[in-house]
Amino acid sequence: MNQNPSISLPHSSAEYLNEEEVKETAPFCSSSSMAPKQTKAEKKIAYDGKLCQLLEEYGQILVVNADNVGSNQLQNIRKGLRGDSVVLMGKNTMMKRSVRIHAEKTGNNAYLNLIPLLVGNVGLIFTKGDLKEVSEEVAKYKVGAPARVGLVAPIDVVVPPGNTGLDPSQTSFFQVLNIPTKINKGTVEIITPVELIKKGEKVGSSEAALLAKLGIRPFSYGLVVLSVYDNGSVFSPEVLDLTEDDLIEKFAAGVSMVTSLSLAISFPTLAAAPHMFVNAYKNVLSIAVETDYSFPEADKVKEYLKDPSKFAVAAVAAPAAASGPPAAAAKVEEKKEEPAEESDDDMGFSLFD
């Protein structure tokens, strides 16, 4: 046995190459293998710089849920929003850390409102466009998906009646799921619509197999807007659907509540001021009626109270005054129409005789 290590056989052919030979063979290697890989620390620094730059550049952010969204689908969304919006995904811990660092550097604590929103599988859409339009654009990129076993159904799944195209040997499969069927022209036909899966239930193996056989893709997935961040303010995406009529209605309801509260605690506000003046006038009028103190408006009320018959006279006079002018006008019209009713023939001659 040879004990000289200098003449030991190498373990691989790569060991036959010296440093110069390795450099000569380098151009023939793939570019990906030669590209230096970033360390975790370098990746974190790059991600932190990108997120901080986006926070500085954009003041509007949509926080979206990305459950069951594939990479190709996400790429299509990026292409559709390209121009005035940027989609950024990442780990929640890294995003929270970057937001905290940027808030400390800039002294703008409004960015900290984003941190409670970074829960679950979420991403950020930075935009300079109209928030409602961007939200509607994101909703367009929904992709149909099959019902997988163990998946929680986001909607009710109903199998419609009709011909399934399956051969009669599949009848037992439908009987297991209690789906009424019949054989029509050599194929299985579902008689009535069947609610196969309810919202919130997990998809079973039998339900998933049946939907796959029928070619039904009941679910659709895409980015779902959870919250909206607008220059420090955070609100629900439902706010984007409000119209001017909705705003006017809510404003009127708010004014009504302020008025009611102001009247209840006797606190003067612009909304309650007219009602307060009316109530105060009623109180003064009540005091004048019960005491010797009086003023011109109170004198009229006292006269009515002394002689209630004046109420009836006033009630009768009002309709008479209202009906008077139309009656007089009708009489004038009748007088004007009387000469027109006489004809030349009635007077015994005609202009054409």
Side-chain angles (χ1 to χ4, degrees):
M1 185 174 179
N2 188 3
Q3 301 296 328
N4 188 356
S6 62
I7 60 173
S8 62
L9 296 174
H11 296 286
S12 65
S13 59
E15 294 182 14
Y16 284 104
L17 303 176
N18 55 31
E19 293 182 1
E20 293 180 359
E21 290 173 329
V22 170
K23 292 179 181 179
E24 290 176 359
T25 58
F28 298 98
C29 300
S30 62
S31 59
S32 60
S33 62
M34 295 302 298
K37 292 184 179 180
Q38 288 183 325
T39 62
K40 289 184 178 181
E42 291 174 343
K43 289 180 179 179
K44 288 182 179 180
I45 293 172
Y47 185 87
D48 177 71
K50 183 176 181 180
L51 180 54
C52 292
Q53 181 184 355
L54 292 173
L55 288 172
E56 193 68 28
E57 186 176 353
Y58 296 86
Q60 300 178 137
I61 305 172
L62 297 178
V63 182
V64 295
N65 181 277
D67 286 340
N68 303 301
V69 178
S71 57
N72 292 334
Q73 184 180 358
L74 189 60
Q75 187 66 22
N76 292 332
I77 294 174
R78 283 194 169 102
K79 290 180 181 178
L81 297 177
R82 188 171 296 167
D84 60 354
S85 302
V86 178
V87 181
L88 181 68
M89 308 298 293
K91 293 183 179 180
N92 293 345
T93 52
M94 291 184 63
M95 288 192 286
K96 290 179 180 179
R97 175 180 172 275
S98 298
V99 170
R100 287 195 187 96
I101 292 174
H102 188 67
E104 291 176 1
K105 287 182 178 179
T106 59
N108 187 358
N109 293 328
Y111 293 122
L112 299 177
N113 294 333
L114 283 169
I115 294 179
L117 308 178
L118 302 177
V119 178
N121 186 17
V122 297
L124 302 176
I125 299 179
F126 298 84
T127 181
K128 293 181 180 178
D130 183 81
L131 289 170
K132 184 177 181 181
E133 293 179 359
V134 175
S135 179
E136 291 175 350
E137 184 68 22
V138 170
K140 292 179 182 178
Y141 293 89
K142 287 190 176 182
V143 177
R148 297 186 179 89
V149 179
L151 192 68
V152 178
I155 57 172
D156 295 332
V157 179
V158 178
V159 178
N163 198 318
T164 62
L166 301 176
D167 57 84
S169 62
Q170 305 289 335
T171 305
S172 58
F173 189 79
F174 289 91
Q175 291 176 349
V176 173
L177 296 171
N178 297 321
I179 299 176
T181 59
K182 67 178 182 179
I183 306 301
N184 185 16
K185 297 180 180 180
T187 57
V188 179
E189 182 178 336
I190 299 176
I191 301 174
T192 58
V194 178
E195 187 178 24
L196 189 63
I197 309 172
K198 292 183 178 180
K199 181 179 179 180
E201 293 182 350
K202 288 188 176 181
V203 179
S205 58
S206 300
E207 290 85 353
L210 175 61
L211 293 171
K213 287 179 180 291
L214 298 178
I216 298 176
R217 300 167 68 90
F219 307 139
S220 59
Y221 297 106
L223 295 181
V224 180
V225 180
L226 300 178
S227 302
V228 180
Y229 173 91
D230 188 358
N231 295 307
S233 301
V234 177
F235 49 88
S236 172
E238 284 78 11
V239 176
L240 301 177
D241 298 327
L242 293 176
T243 62
E244 290 185 2
D245 294 337
D246 296 330
L247 295 176
I248 292 173
E249 182 180 353
K250 291 184 178 295
F251 179 77
V255 171
S256 178
M257 293 180 64
V258 170
T259 303
S260 301
L261 180 62
S262 299
L263 292 174
I265 63 176
S266 299
F267 184 82
T269 59
L270 186 61
H275 303 279
M276 288 183 170
F277 282 121
V278 171
N279 292 337
Y281 175 74
K282 290 179 180 179
N283 293 334
V284 173
L285 191 60
S286 301
I287 294 173
V289 170
E290 294 296 331
T291 62
D292 295 334
Y293 175 78
S294 183
F295 52 93
E297 287 76 10
D299 293 339
K300 294 181 180 179
V301 176
K302 290 181 178 181
E303 290 179 5
Y304 283 123
L305 293 177
K306 290 180 180 178
D307 188 4
S309 61
K310 291 185 178 180
F311 285 105
V313 174
V316 173
S323 61
K331 290 181 180 180
V332 172
E333 290 180 359
E334 289 178 0
K335 290 181 180 179
K336 290 182 179 179
E337 291 176 357
E338 285 178 0
E341 293 177 356
E342 297 180 359
S343 64
D344 295 334
D345 294 334
D346 295 337
M347 297 176 67
F349 62 91
S350 173
L351 294 174
F352 298 98
D353 288 343

